[in-house]
Amino acid sequence: MRPRVGYATIVVVLAVAAGCSDSTGTRSLTIPSMLVVGDDGGFAQIYRLSDNLETKLSTTASNDVDPAFGAERIVFASDRDGNAEVYIADTLMTVSRRVTNSGATDNHPSIDPTGSTIVFVSDRSGAPRLWTVPAPALDATTFGIPTALSTGSGTGTPEGAPAWSPDGRTIAFSSTRTGRSEIFTVP
């Protein structure tokens, strides 16, 4: 069972930070919306935290995890179809669809700033590695074909935590190819 969202802790930290001042006086602190995962009845669910308001976006009897915003959509991983797959949804998660369809574990998705490509982690080749797939329209009925991303790591080297640069030209990710976990980038 996963712990409930630590929302009270976040509010306290933000309240303290918002009241901080320096020689120029008190400054207001604007925090954008963020997605978090919390427990609801034994299942991991996605919540949006915005303007001191917690809104539950997931409503499934499954685990919805690894949410990320991008291009007016949300990508996330879910086991609602039996194993971890990548999904895409509108920003309220009222419409969602599966993006990957594999017996492998597909998770940790990130959508590029234009909304055209999703990078994710999959163990479909043995070790957790980065893969890309075209980001489908929410009403699409077919699956895109995932492609392994050439990162410079050995094929058996685990990779994870992919994130797009703001301009969409670079993907940062973690890899243990040097013997310890470090951050690398790839075009």
Side-chain angles (χ1 to χ4, degrees):
M1 184 178 292
R2 295 182 181 208
R4 177 88 166 98
V5 174
Y7 185 66
T9 303
I10 294 170
V11 172
V12 170
V13 171
L14 294 179
V16 170
C20 292
S21 64
D22 59 15
S23 61
T24 61
T26 302
R27 294 183 183 188
S28 63
L29 179 66
T30 302
I31 303 296
S33 293
M34 65 179 115
L35 298 174
V36 296
V37 175
D39 180 82
D40 185 13
F43 294 104
Q45 299 290 279
I46 298 172
Y47 294 79
R48 178 193 320 263
L49 301 179
S50 180
D51 298 325
N52 294 327
L53 181 64
E54 177 183 313
T55 304
K56 181 180 174 186
L57 299 178
S58 293
T59 57
T60 63
S62 60
N63 294 296
D64 294 344
V65 297
D66 305 332
F69 278 126
E72 302 298 319
R73 295 191 275 176
I74 296 172
V75 291
F76 61 100
S78 179
D79 62 6
R80 61 181 70 174
D81 290 319
N83 71 308
E85 299 284 359
V86 173
Y87 287 77
I88 192 165
D90 61 45
T91 58
L92 298 176
M93 289 185 64
T94 55
V95 176
S96 64
R97 74 170 303 278
R98 191 169 63 187
V99 175
T100 61
N101 187 20
S102 170
T105 298
D106 296 338
N107 54 24
H108 303 288
S110 180
I111 191 166
D112 79 311
T114 67
S116 63
T117 305
I118 297 170
V119 64
F120 63 99
V121 177
S122 179
D123 63 1
R124 61 184 68 208
S125 63
R129 304 285 301 186
L130 301 187
W131 291 72
T132 61
V133 66
L138 293 176
D139 61 353
T141 58
T142 60
F143 294 100
I145 299 171
T147 304
L149 186 62
S150 179
T151 61
S153 298
T155 57
T157 304
E159 299 173 337
W164 292 91
S165 64
D167 65 5
R169 294 182 185 175
T170 306
I171 297 172
F173 64 99
S174 65
S175 174
T176 59
R177 66 186 182 202
T178 62
R180 63 180 187 193
S181 185
E182 295 184 70
I183 304 299
F184 296 89
T185 60
V186 64

